[in-house]
Amino acid sequence: MKELRETINNANLTKTQKMIARYVLDNSADACFMTSTEIALKLGVSESSVIRFSRSLGFDGFMDFQKSLRKDYQDKVLSISSSITVPSQRVAKRAKLDTSSDYINRHFKNTAKNMESVFVNNSTALFEEAAEAIISSKRKYIVSSRGNSCLGDYFLLYLKHMLPNVEMTNSTSISPVDHMCNISKDDCVVAFSFPRYSSIDKISVRMAYEVGAKIIVVTDKPSALLAQYATVLFTVPVDSNTFFNSLVAPQFIAEALLDTISHKVKGIERRLKKIDKYLGELGNY
């Protein structure tokens, strides 16, 4: 994108062409997948103006310019945003990118970018606040579904090792509503929610909200489906370069929160020894 900015700055552009340039620079993730007609309609200019803009930058035409823009997007942005929620649409978008690159390395870079956002978006004090809410609550309900269930299962297992009265709300035979029918203001909910969001998760969290229970939400952005109900809100991107979300960064949130709790709770060693005693009898070592 730096090279494109320099090319634009050095070009002799008309007023209309400068408007097109600003749009492309500010919206490169969208512009690289738009046709010249779509850009023209978006800006209220003629399609020929978009084509002349491309040629004024030294390209043969709009297709040549778009190919360069798309390559720059792929190299710099690395990800398909979680705002594109339908898996088939994500695959279709990826197909427009160059598939000859090192996708494993690309996935690593994209995951690292998500991880960098963890402490940009969430302060240490937030982890402390969430930990205190979980520890002080009477019952702890873990809410997650479909692709996010792995986060809920992980959090459930290790929270159970530290605290009593921890329940998972997703079950094949019992609905979340049944699980949470006795929830009160003395309880709390920990919800993991990422696109595609679940209406079941929303109902579960709303039940907690309506009785005044504490609600810890781990999701992708402040405008997410469950964010409005959160007592404590963690936001972390799950952008990836494939059809499914990258859950490495949310997994880190879960681990960091469990780590914070582990420093505040007493009796963990005694509980773990009891668990190990009986797991040993089952042949789990």
Side-chain angles (χ1 to χ4, degrees), residues 168-194:
M168 194 72 173
T169 62
N170 62 342
S171 170
T172 55
S173 57
I174 306 174
S175 76
V177 175
D178 297 313
H179 272 295
M180 298 177 61
C181 62
N182 295 313
I183 193 168
S184 73
K185 63 180 179 60
D186 299 319
D187 303 328
C188 82
V189 165
V190 181
F192 297 92
S193 176
F194 296 94

Side-chain angles (χ1 to χ4, degrees), residues 5-285:
R5 284 199 302 268
E6 291 176 351
T7 301
I8 288 173
N9 289 336
N10 294 329
N12 185 20
L13 303 178
T14 65
K15 184 177 179 180
T16 298
Q17 290 170 347
K18 286 179 181 178
M19 179 174 67
I20 297 170
R22 282 195 299 272
Y23 178 79
V24 169
L25 289 173
D26 292 343
N27 303 275
S28 59
D30 295 323
C32 68
F33 295 107
M34 295 170 71
T35 65
S36 56
T37 303
E38 289 171 333
I39 292 177
L41 288 172
K42 181 77 175 180
L43 299 178
V45 300
S46 66
E47 184 178 4
S48 59
S49 294
V50 178
I51 296 171
R52 283 195 297 270
F53 162 74
S54 304
R55 289 174 177 165
S56 68
L57 299 181
F59 296 96
D60 294 337
F62 180 77
M63 292 291 287
D64 188 32
F65 169 68
Q66 187 183 54
K67 182 179 178 181
S68 175
L69 189 64
R70 194 172 286 176
K71 183 179 185 303
D72 184 82
Y73 168 83
Q74 177 172 287
D75 291 342
K76 300 299 189 300
V77 178
L78 302 170
S79 66
I80 300 171
S81 171
S82 61
S83 61
I84 301 177
T85 60
V86 181
S88 60
Q89 292 177 356
R90 293 172 69 95
V91 171
K93 186 167 184 179
R94 186 182 67 174
K96 295 180 180 180
L97 301 175
D98 179 14
T99 58
S100 64
S101 57
D102 182 355
Y103 47 84
I104 298 298
N105 185 53
R106 183 178 300 282
H107 192 79
F108 171 78
K109 289 181 178 179
N110 186 70
T111 301
K113 181 169 67 71
N114 289 344
M115 282 291 294
E116 288 174 1
S117 299
V118 169
F119 284 106
V120 172
N121 298 340
N122 310 282
S123 66
T124 303
L126 208 59
F127 287 91
E128 296 285 340
E129 183 182 355
E132 291 292 347
I134 293 169
I135 293 168
S136 63
S137 61
K138 183 178 179 181
R139 284 168 296 200
K140 299 88 173 145
Y141 296 94
I142 314 301
V143 172
S144 63
S145 58
R146 299 196 74 234
N148 305 315
S149 294
C150 57
L151 295 169
D153 288 340
Y154 177 90
F155 199 81
L156 172 77
L157 174 63
Y158 294 108
L159 191 61
K160 271 185 171 291
H161 287 178
M162 294 186 279
L163 295 169
N165 303 317
V166 181
E167 297 183 36
M168 194 72 173
T169 62
N170 62 342
S171 170
T172 55
S173 57
I174 306 174
S175 76
V177 175
D178 297 313
H179 272 295
M180 298 177 61
C181 62
N182 295 313
I183 193 168
S184 73
K185 63 180 179 60
D186 299 319
D187 303 328
C188 82
V189 165
V190 181
F192 297 92
S193 176
F194 296 94
R196 304 166 77 176
Y197 305 122
S198 166
S199 58
I200 295 175
D201 294 345
K202 183 178 180 181
I203 290 173
S204 302
V205 170
R206 205 180 80 208
M207 287 179 69
Y209 182 80
E210 289 177 355
V211 299
K214 294 284 196 308
I215 302 169
I216 293 92
V217 174
V218 184
T219 191
D220 59 320
K221 53 183 178 289
S223 60
L225 183 68
L226 303 187
Q228 61 182 310
Y229 302 108
T231 307
V232 180
L233 177 64
F234 293 96
T235 58
V236 58
V238 290
D239 297 347
S240 74
N241 58 346
T242 187
F243 68 90
F244 52 83
N245 292 331
S246 172
L247 296 181
V248 176
Q251 174 71 18
F252 180 83
I253 293 278
E255 291 179 21
L257 184 52
L258 288 167
D259 185 23
T260 304
I261 294 170
S262 73
H263 287 283
K264 297 176 178 293
V265 175
K266 296 180 179 180
I268 295 176
E269 183 179 359
R270 183 175 65 255
R271 191 175 289 109
L272 291 177
K273 284 182 177 180
K274 182 179 181 180
I275 292 170
D276 286 341
K277 173 186 174 181
Y278 293 103
L279 284 179
E281 293 182 15
L282 291 172
N284 293 325
Y285 303 104

